[in-house]
Amino acid sequence: MIPIKNEREIEAMRKACRVAAEVLDKLENLVTPGMATRDIDEACADFIAEAGAKSAFLGYRKFPGNLCVSVNEEVVHGIGGDRRLAYGDILKLDVGIVKDGWIGDNATTIRLGVVPPAVDGLVEHTARILHDVIPHVRPGKRVGDISAFIEQAALAHGYSVVREFVGHGVGRKLHEEPQIPNYGKPGRGPKLKPGMTLAIEPMINLGASAVRVLEDKWTVVTADGLPSAHFEHTVLVTKDQPEVLTWRKKTLLK
């Protein structure tokens, strides 16, 4: 069953999502070439604690990090460690927090300096795909409409979508119904209703769609070693326009 939040619960979600967005903003301002991904994880822990919240990821199914920090070919679920960022890398930061029992979840991809044109286009288009799919998150639409839009938009630019990992409902739990794949057919799946809160998260690969999980049992990488981009917002279905609960002060869109 897909949870429908009432007004009081939605307001609590707004507060949690605002914290998640603020933490992501602070991390983006902090990141520079030469940093170890462990340093980003530690900074994330500090920012979350300052906000009076907790990481939604730390300890979730024994995940050891405060956020997911993934570099270049790492798609999602990277763990902060010794890897140091280099000029020309792309970095994915996925922040989930718990505030007063409610979860905010969002992610972005950062370019560290000048990246190759193909990678720059991947990041720009993935951000655009998330931006452009959000108007479809409205009553009467189905999950398949979101999924099909993301897949078709990615394929139109010669990219592929990750199929093994998906978007999801979010609220009191990090993963609620429904699952929201980045591929599918329009008109299929559950119908969207006001009060649903959904984490929409395109994961787009520059090369083939195949991925594998590293020996740490968490970090997902592309099978061909080419870069992947990931953006995510928590979105509320309303009677009218969708409300992006994790809207940030910054955006990659020009």
Side-chain angles (χ1 to χ4, degrees):
M1 177 179 292
I2 302 174
I4 303 293
K5 282 78 176 180
N6 60 36
E7 283 302 320
R8 179 182 58 80
E9 294 169 332
I10 289 169
E11 188 53 35
M13 281 286 292
R14 287 192 180 99
K15 292 178 181 177
C17 288
R18 197 173 303 130
V19 170
E22 289 171 356
V23 171
L24 196 54
D25 258 338
K26 289 181 179 179
L27 290 174
E28 184 165 356
N29 287 331
L30 179 81
V31 169
T32 58
M35 287 186 75
T37 55
R38 176 181 289 109
D39 298 333
I40 302 170
D41 187 89
E42 291 174 355
C44 183
D46 291 341
F47 293 149
I48 292 174
E50 288 168 5
K54 298 190 301 183
S55 168
F57 300 162
L58 182 63
Y60 180 77
R61 297 179 180 175
K62 299 184 179 180
F63 184 75
N66 290 284
L67 84 164
C68 300
V69 50
S70 310
V71 183
N72 297 340
E73 79 287 355
E74 297 172 348
V75 180
V76 288
H77 303 166
I79 302 166
D82 294 334
R83 185 170 183 170
R84 291 192 177 276
L85 303 177
Y87 187 85
D89 282 345
I90 60 170
L91 174 69
K92 285 131 285 183
L93 301 175
D94 190 347
V95 172
I97 68 93
V98 186
K99 177 74 171 175
D100 300 328
W102 294 90
I103 292 173
D105 192 5
N106 62 173
T108 192
T109 299
I110 300 168
R111 289 164 284 203
L112 297 177
V114 177
V115 303
V119 179
D120 187 65
L122 172 71
V123 175
E124 195 71 25
H125 284 303
T126 305
R128 175 62 65 182
I129 289 169
L130 176 58
H131 179 274
D132 289 349
V133 77
I134 287 172
H136 296 266
V137 185
R138 59 176 61 240
K141 290 279 190 176
R142 293 184 179 273
V143 168
D145 297 319
I146 299 171
S147 301
F149 182 94
I150 292 171
E151 181 181 30
Q152 291 168 14
L155 295 179
H157 293 289
Y159 307 132
S160 64
V161 299
V162 174
R163 302 174 77 89
E164 288 85 347
F165 299 89
V166 301
H168 50 88
V170 60
R172 283 200 177 276
K173 297 180 180 178
L174 181 58
H175 294 115
E176 297 181 345
E177 292 296 324
Q179 289 193 345
I180 308 171
N182 291 316
Y183 65 95
K185 296 182 178 180
R188 303 284 182 85
K191 186 176 289 186
L192 304 187
K193 298 178 180 178
M196 292 181 179
T197 45
L198 308 174
I200 312 292
E201 48 180 324
M203 289 164 260
I204 310 294
N205 292 350
L206 184 61
S209 64
V211 297
R212 62 186 178 91
V213 180
L214 298 184
E215 290 183 357
D216 63 17
K217 300 184 186 305
W218 280 104
T219 307
V220 179
V221 300
T222 56
D224 58 15
L226 293 176
S228 180
H230 176 214
F231 288 85
E232 177 182 17
H233 272 309
T234 298
V235 183
L236 169 68
V237 183
T238 78
K239 291 186 295 184
D240 302 305
Q241 296 287 333
E243 180 179 342
V244 179
L245 299 179
T246 48
W247 192 257
R248 299 169 53 218
K249 295 177 181 176
K250 290 186 176 180
T251 174
L252 282 176
L253 298 176
K254 299 173 181 175

